Amino acid sequence: QALALSGGSPVSMLQVLSVACTGHLDIFANWGHVSSAFVAITGPPAWKALTLGLWENREDFEARSTPVRVIRLLKVVSVQSDPARNGVFLINFINSHGVLEQSAFRHKDRPRDVWVGMLTEFITTVRAAREARRKGGVHPAERRIDSSSQEWSDLTQGSDEDVDEQG
């Protein structure tokens, strides 16, 4: 999926993770109102900061329309499963006014725990990459890897083994 997005050129693990954090969700709003949205990670050069953008549908995202809502990823405090509602997860973040805010989402296209895990992994990796850049280095997740290389094969096979061991 990420390779199709990049046209077959080398990709970084951050790019792969950003694609994994793309899909359809239901959003819980005020007074119990639920609406559908297409969510994707956006960033430079289109946006100043890395954000989780929410569009009404995939077509609006692909047309590069302005998102209905954005959550700055480096302002996210936590991503967690909602223990009271099956299939729902919460994103706690600091909004543009410096106030802690919480948004609730219900999965549609993959399990809730996959959403929680992928968003958490992406945010954690972005923070680690940012820290590596501050120290003058490059985080391994930012390096582009050719999908035909042995390094890519080792990386993807390692992930499959981890899943097999857990499952």
Side-chain angles (χ1 to χ4, degrees):
Q1 194 174 18
L3 295 177
L5 194 69
S6 69
S9 62
V11 295
S12 70
M13 284 308 293
L14 274 176
Q15 289 173 305
V16 173
L17 286 170
S18 73
V19 171
C21 296
T22 300
H24 296 276
L25 293 171
D26 285 334
I27 307 164
F28 292 88
N30 296 336
W31 305 101
H33 176 14
V34 179
S35 60
S36 292
F38 182 80
V39 299
I41 292 177
T42 59
W47 287 89
K48 181 180 176 183
L50 280 172
T51 61
L52 182 67
L54 289 77
W55 289 264
E56 288 186 19
N57 53 54
R58 184 181 192 106
E59 292 75 26
D60 288 350
F61 165 72
E62 290 174 349
R64 298 181 185 242
S65 300
T66 302
V68 175
R69 183 164 184 212
V70 295
I71 297 172
R72 291 185 65 170
L73 290 172
L74 289 176
K75 299 289 184 175
V76 171
V77 176
S78 66
V79 181
Q80 61 195 58
S81 301
D82 185 340
R85 297 180 283 185
N86 192 24
V88 176
F89 65 95
L90 309 168
I91 299 179
N92 298 294
F93 61 97
I94 306 298
N95 69 19
S96 60
H97 302 291
V99 178
L100 182 63
E101 190 174 325
Q102 183 177 79
S103 289
F105 301 90
R106 181 173 47 215
H107 74 91
K108 290 178 91 171
D109 62 354
R110 67 194 83 149
R112 168 187 69 182
D113 293 343
V114 172
W115 276 104
V116 170
M118 296 308 328
L119 287 167
T120 301
E121 180 69 21
F122 184 83
I123 293 164
T124 302
T125 304
V126 165
R127 287 185 175 140
R130 183 177 179 210
E131 186 61 28
R133 281 194 306 275
R134 283 185 178 166
K135 293 179 179 179
V138 176
H139 191 275
E142 292 184 296
R143 285 193 358 254
R144 293 180 181 267
I145 303 169
D146 188 335
S147 62
S148 62
S149 72
Q150 182 62 43
E151 186 177 7
W152 180 266
S153 179
D154 292 346
L155 223 116
T156 55
Q157 286 177 2
S159 297
D160 290 343
E161 290 170 7
D162 292 343
V163 170
D164 289 343
E165 290 173 8
Q166 293 174 2

